[in-house]
Amino acid sequence: MDKLYKSKSKKFFANDHETWGHKWGYKDTRFILNDDRTVRMLGDRYELAGIDMPDFIPYVEEMLEVKIDPEDMLKQNEDMPIGPPNINEQFVERIKGIFSDDRYTFADDDRLIHSHGQTTSDEVYKVIYSRIDSTVDMVFYIESEEDAGKLIQLAEEFDVCLVPFGGGTSVSNALQIPKNENRMIVAIDTRRMNSIEWINEEDRRVCAQSGITGSRLEELLEEKGFTVGHEPDSIELSTLGGWIATNASGMKKNRYGNIEDIVENVTMITPKGDINQVEPLTRASIGMKPQNLLFGSEGNFGIITKATLKIHRLPEVQKFNSAVFPNWRTGVDFMYDLSHTNFIPASARLVDNVQFRFGQTLKARPEGLEKLIEKIKKFMVLNIKGFDPYQMVAATFKMEGSQEEVDYQEKNIARLTKKHGGLVGGAENGKRGYMLTFAIAYVRDFLTDYKVIGETMETSVPWSKIHQVCEAATKRLFDLHEQHGIPGRPYMSYRIPQIYHTGVCIYFMLGMSVKDVENAADLFSSMEHSIREAIMENGGSISHHHGVGKLRKDFMQDTISPASIDLLKQVKRSHDPKNIFGIQNNVFTD
Amino acid sequence: MDKLYKSKSKKFFANDHETWGHKWGYKDTRFILNDDRTVRMLGDRYELAGIDMPDFIPYVEEMLEVKIDPEDMLKQNEDMPIGPPNINEQFVERIKGIFSDDRYTFADDDRLIHSHGQTTSDEVYKVIYSRIDSTVDMVFYIESEEDAGKLIQLAEEFDVCLVPFGGGTSVSNALQIPKNENRMIVAIDTRRMNSIEWINEEDRRVCAQSGITGSRLEELLEEKGFTVGHEPDSIELSTLGGWIATNASGMKKNRYGNIEDIVENVTMITPKGDINQVEPLTRASIGMKPQNLLFGSEGNFGIITKATLKIHRLPEVQKFNSAVFPNWRTGVDFMYDLSHTNFIPASARLVDNVQFRFGQTLKARPEGLEKLIEKIKKFMVLNIKGFDPYQMVAATFKMEGSQEEVDYQEKNIARLTKKHGGLVGGAENGKRGYMLTFAIAYVRDFLTDYKVIGETMETSVPWSKIHQVCEAATKRLFDLHEQHGIPGRPYMSYRIPQIYHTGVCIYFMLGMSVKDVENAADLFSSMEHSIREAIMENGGSISHHHGVGKLRKDFMQDTISPASIDLLKQVKRSHDPKNIFGIQNNVFTD
């Protein structure tokens, strides 16, 4: 993984990397449709790879009520069209005078990679099948804080727009380039700043550069017996700077915390100087804390160059488990009870029946003894315990800690499962649930070729409004689908990936066939906007962890007061008066 | 407790209340020196009250190397001198036109009460034995958010300075009135806004008004079977608004969190409108979060009127325990190990030998069977286990939760105690440790009459620097004491009241005799400043929970970057351009 970082002779360029750049993830991995209509994940990067899965296409066709037809596919662009760069001569001349030419590029493909994130309809769909109109004009790869300061200084001097860029996995259109930006636009790629600056094992802190990916950070720490424990679904690709900029959440937040719990100090270089604390602070009372504003800054404000995070010794034990419940409401009641206890595992997730059945399809056709065992299990669950295969839901758990801690959690979770009429499902099913997490984005890209648009949406909602929000979002999707005469049946599925004291995160997966649908991407985008309205009208928040970007900026007025919005604009005006960081996310639209 | 709030016929006025107003706490409670040189706490409010304690004076005299002499006492002011109010005629005329006369007062004693907090040398010492020069001119008691908005509007119109006032327990000079403030100064007392607005039992949230004290909040919630669990030492007196304004911490933060973990929404009325979130938010990603700036706002910015907090069902079990260790370093090692586990109790504290012996003095002379048992215990600890009475330290624990949870903690804590060569001390000693917390401030006021100045200081420090900071602070105190030729010997004691992943809170208690010392209060204040320098040079923070106020403003430049300070000043300039909230705390000095 990330072998290029170890090679001193070759510097990182996004257009010459093992990641796709436009589609999600790695070039060695994608799903393909075999002639026998099984589906396989190519490569050997993931556990799911190399398995012919027979149930996937039947599931998709059943749920969407359309045929997956290799004769009727969207054509991917062969050449990725992009306009010529808008060059600010004086700026470029100064750059060339100061930096060697392996520090920047005007190459079309590198520019295009830096002109979008991973939002399905507005970004990925368009760059792959259509075109993106607004692009960056140059890509600069910073290698130090001094570089960041220099770029900002030059941008101020020559009125250039800067766009910080980490892993490019934004799903809020945060990386979408504003159409009305007329200045030269330079993407500041941070990924060459991917080192650990220091580790303090006694105090359990690490200082890392902002361009480090989650995987690399964990890899380097593991060598010393430590972990940060932040595991967003995008861990292989997303960076520390991006996590702070989006106020990210990770799978194991119950044990390790979300990004605001993990990070003790941030350094951001802004046009008015560096925002940081002189020392990382164990909990302190220092008055109003400017650092608190950097979480969720979404590229509007400066370049994050490094941060100090809490680290933990690798746990003695890591163990999976799972449980199935008769239906969604029972599963939610289980999660509610779990949230009040002292045995919440590092990760606890509940998936609905639709997602549970989807998970069942990402398996090989069982053979021989395995087939027999599967049949017995199924029989036990469906016939002996009386579970309805179209109602049952599943919870998956990952437990980490000392042997005693894990035993304590496992024992108590089993007891609570029984109390709610559930069945303990075992470690294998638990592990499988998490395995799918990293495959999902590849599924999206696979299905889009077959004219199926899929997207995820997420929200935080109080316990008392979970069902209301799920029902309202589902109804809105189905109403819009019918209203617009879209083929087949819409796909809606949800899970609860995080539980909290007062509420949960709900993570929706939506999809629909767009065969013969005009302006499919824009239509889908408008439907998503309307579903967000329905979510928020019923008590859901603007976002749990994906952030606001441009996708949800319309909902900021329903989230914070007008005076709060003014405050943020004032902060922007005072710290970036020339709008150097002109990405226009959140309330900072022109 | 707080009976006046229940009486509808009589509104709260600070000068007609069961609290002292100038000294700490309640009028029914103070320490007295008996003729036989035992010490007793009057009243019956606290468990410690009514007991004649024979070992207290000998301990104080031994530690300070001075005599406590009833013939040589400081004389408390009989009349509290205060200058006449500075009246802004137009403002007052408008107030009188809008509000009835039980909403405000110009009474000298009420004004004086609102002109200081509880910082020992700069505030309490001066108001009781000398005089405070800068005072408020009027006290206004708000009863609604509309009142707050109206006062701000009038203050802007007529250029009046407003000082929000809750429990008045600040120990950072935050409530000290700036000498250079020439406008009329109005204290805005929030304590009539002390209701609960709503409770949501399913989502486990409460919305309370900002003037509610900790005790009242817990009292009202207890009736419904809930608790917030925030227990600062000042819980009887301090208010929700004050906790937010100082980024407060509470004794049981391990279970319930500190204020920033507990509060999900804040409403603050500012000259530019209300800062708040439309709904309280379970963890969300909304971009830059203005609410994050309200924690630690220290009265510089607006009036906090209400907040939404997490609540918990009252725990099934509450249990104390304790442990003694051979010496401070061993105790710290124990706490370090404890911080890595999943059995950290709601509260875990370690006191040093000096404080341990101090705690032993706050007891009655044991008689009969009790005396025998005390002797046996002492023998066991000192002779059988070989503990040195001048080295040993104590840890106290409060455990809360289900029976299973508490058993799990207790069992594991006992095991860890043994591992570090400690002795489990039992529930009685544990409970006693916490009992003393509420008595300490009364001890301060008692001893000041005998020309002993005592104060607490606190800091947060990484694990690796605990000993360095304790030694440096101690050395600085002793050096200054000698340098200034102060009588007797300085008193220095510390405890670790809070542990965290990367470090701890250290809470120092300092004291010295000031017999025949000129300008004792100012000298003490300068010594405190120098000790803070020593603390910070060695890795301690500006404050763990008391905040910055005016007392520590000089250290902000060692805490956050210049650009961070500029950002805060910009926020102030844009949201309070006329400096209506002119208390000048933290970086907001003129």
Side-chain angles (χ1 to χ4, degrees), chain A residues 209-479:
Chain A
Q209 295 180 335
S210 64
I212 197 167
T213 60
S215 296
R216 174 167 162 86
L217 177 61
E218 287 296 345
E219 201 181 308
L220 293 174
L221 287 172
E222 192 180 5
E223 285 168 19
K224 297 200 170 280
F226 284 91
T227 178
V228 167
H230 180 64
E231 269 188 38
D233 292 356
S234 58
I235 189 177
E236 302 161 289
L237 308 161
S238 58
T239 61
L240 172 55
W243 304 337
I244 293 167
T246 54
N247 205 39
S249 176
M251 191 186 91
K252 302 189 294 191
K253 71 94 187 165
N254 292 328
R255 181 173 176 83
Y256 299 101
N258 283 319
I259 197 66
E260 68 275 23
D261 308 307
I262 294 173
V263 168
E264 286 197 336
N265 200 3
V266 185
T267 301
M268 178 189 270
I269 319 297
T270 78
K272 290 287 186 215
D274 305 354
I275 307 285
N276 73 342
Q277 292 160 173
V278 174
E279 295 290 334
L281 293 171
T282 300
R283 203 278 172 182
S285 175
I286 69 170
M288 295 159 80
K289 216 172 156 186
Q291 172 171 288
N292 279 348
L293 279 184
L294 304 186
F295 293 87
S297 47
E298 295 185 308
N300 290 301
F301 208 51
I303 301 171
I304 296 166
T305 49
K306 65 180 189 280
T308 302
L309 306 89
K310 295 172 185 166
I311 57 178
H312 304 246
R313 289 216 164 274
L314 287 166
E316 182 186 348
V317 170
Q318 289 188 336
K319 206 169 174 201
F320 291 97
N321 212 328
S322 61
V324 286
F325 296 94
N327 54 57
W328 176 248
R329 280 184 179 259
T330 314
V332 172
D333 290 345
F334 165 87
M335 295 292 264
Y336 182 66
D337 275 0
L338 182 64
S339 78
H340 296 220
T341 69
N342 76 326
F343 47 85
I344 305 171
S347 167
R349 289 169 150 181
L350 182 75
V351 300
D352 72 349
N353 177 263
V354 172
Q355 225 167 115
F356 172 67
R357 287 187 292 112
F358 173 47
Q360 300 301 305
T361 73
L362 293 173
K363 283 178 176 167
R365 191 185 310 278
E367 289 168 345
L369 181 61
E370 225 182 275
K371 187 168 182 175
L372 182 60
I373 289 173
E374 280 297 307
K375 283 187 96 163
I376 292 171
K377 280 188 191 171
K378 213 166 172 179
F379 181 78
M380 287 291 302
V381 170
L382 301 182
N383 298 73
I384 303 298
K385 294 288 175 178
F387 283 32
D388 177 349
Y390 282 84
Q391 289 286 319
M392 59 189 284
V393 304
T396 54
F397 314 107
K398 191 171 187 194
M399 296 161 287
E400 296 191 357
S402 64
Q403 186 66 62
E404 183 180 27
E405 189 172 352
V406 168
D407 288 346
Y408 183 84
Q409 288 174 2
E410 197 162 44
K411 172 186 78 174
N412 280 296
I413 287 172
R415 196 178 348 153
L416 190 63
T417 298
K418 283 212 197 79
K419 179 182 166 202
H420 285 273
L423 260 184
V424 173
E428 185 55 41
N429 286 319
K431 186 173 182 204
R432 154 165 292 279
Y434 290 106
M435 232 166 72
L436 300 178
T437 304
F438 299 113
I440 284 301
Y442 294 100
V443 168
R444 172 196 70 176
D445 293 338
F446 166 70
L447 287 175
T448 321
D449 281 347
Y450 296 93
K451 301 186 178 176
V452 173
I453 290 189
E455 182 62 293
T456 56
M457 296 180 70
E458 42 74 53
T459 188
S460 31
V461 59
W463 289 100
S464 59
K465 301 228 171 132
I466 292 172
H467 302 305
Q468 188 177 342
V469 164
C470 290
E471 283 157 19
T474 304
K475 182 177 192 307
R476 182 63 55 92
L477 171 63
F478 275 70
D479 285 349

Side-chain angles (χ1 to χ4, degrees), chain A residues 158-178:
Chain A
F158 299 108
D159 203 23
V160 162
C161 173
L162 301 182
V163 177
F165 193 103
T169 58
S170 161
V171 287
S172 65
N173 289 343
L175 291 171
Q176 214 180 33
I177 302 301

